[in-house]
Amino acid sequence: GESVGLHLPTLSVQEGDNSIINCAYSNSASDYFIWYKQESGKGPQFIIDIRSNMDKRQGQRVTVLLNKTVKHLSLQIAATQPGDSAVYFCAESISNFGNEKLTFGTGTRLTIIP
Amino acid sequence: GAVVSQHPSRVICKSGTSVKIECRSLDFQATTMFWYRQFPKQSLMLMATSNEGSKATYEQGVEKDKFLINHASLTLSTLTVTSAHPEDSSFYICSASGPGTGENIQYFGAGTRLSVL
């Protein structure tokens, strides 16, 4: 899961298993959340988003869960594949008419073991 | 859709020179562009937010005279690192959002790795 500081949390999962990446966000006023995937040497790639009026949203092989009570966000990846190996960041923002600034979490490095 | 192109992908320069990085939205109008800096194994730190035709808004601690940002059109923003020094070496990433990107999601370029000798 996520943690404060310079050390990047890591998670290793066997190929085909499900993975859960956790994120604790900081601002109770945040109402929009995004998960990004970043492969080495590349920019972040959008995975899935969720607004604060929802507690769950599903995409293709991915599910995001939001618990506003404890300010916790998670990303579930089903049936992991080698291509899922990357660093995953959660990001939070406050709606601001299109000028939403994102605050990124520290990231979690996911490694899929063949 | 929602493709952001960033150029160059890598640049090596001598200390004291200036470097310009371009960020283009290829298939949508980017009313807002963002510039981030990322150190190895760390998260993205927002440097500044720019809206087309307006001056950029810089985050606290980011020198506006050091990192010049221009957002002259709805598809192009540039970041110029002036008088670069070794401590400016980093991975710089831009993102863009606009009315057509859905929920104002930020889409990112591939990043520019700057190495100052």
Side-chain angles (χ1 to χ4, degrees), chain A:
Chain A
E2 300 271 354
S3 65
V4 176
L6 299 180
H7 180 67
L8 192 66
T10 59
L11 175 66
S12 295
V13 173
Q14 203 73 37
E15 181 180 354
D17 287 352
N18 300 333
S19 68
I20 300 176
I21 300 170
N22 296 301
C23 173
Y25 64 92
S26 56
N27 191 341
S28 57
S30 294
D31 60 1
Y32 181 56
F33 306 88
I34 304 180
W35 280 99
Y36 284 95
K37 171 187 179 183
Q38 186 178 27
E39 298 176 60
S40 181
K42 298 182 180 179
Q45 175 187 355
F46 170 83
I47 300 175
I48 192 168
D49 61 348
I50 189 169
R51 289 212 170 268
S52 59
N53 60 352
M54 302 174 70
D55 53 23
K56 180 179 180 179
R57 193 172 188 203
Q58 289 184 290
Q60 188 176 16
R61 285 202 304 120
V62 294
T63 301
V64 55
L65 298 177
L66 174 63
N67 186 330
K68 296 181 289 295
T69 303
V70 295
K71 293 189 290 187
H72 183 270
L73 197 66
S74 68
L75 176 70
Q76 300 176 1
I77 305 175
T80 53
Q81 304 168 356
D84 294 330
S85 293
V87 177
Y88 290 81
F89 292 98
C90 66
E92 59 182 298
S93 73
I94 301 171
S95 297
N96 185 26
F97 304 103
N99 284 332
E100 290 84 357
K101 296 196 303 184
L102 293 175
T103 300
F104 281 80
T106 53
T108 296
R109 180 177 296 283
L110 175 65
T111 301
I112 306 303
I113 304 168

Side-chain angles (χ1 to χ4, degrees), chain A residues 32 36 38 51 99 101 105, chain B residues 32 38 43 51 59 103 106:
Chain A
Y32 181 56
Y36 284 95
Q38 186 178 27
R51 289 212 170 268
N99 284 332
K101 296 196 303 184
Chain B
T32 308
Q38 186 177 34
S43 189
N51 291 298
E59 295 300 299
E103 301 283 357
Q106 288 184 30

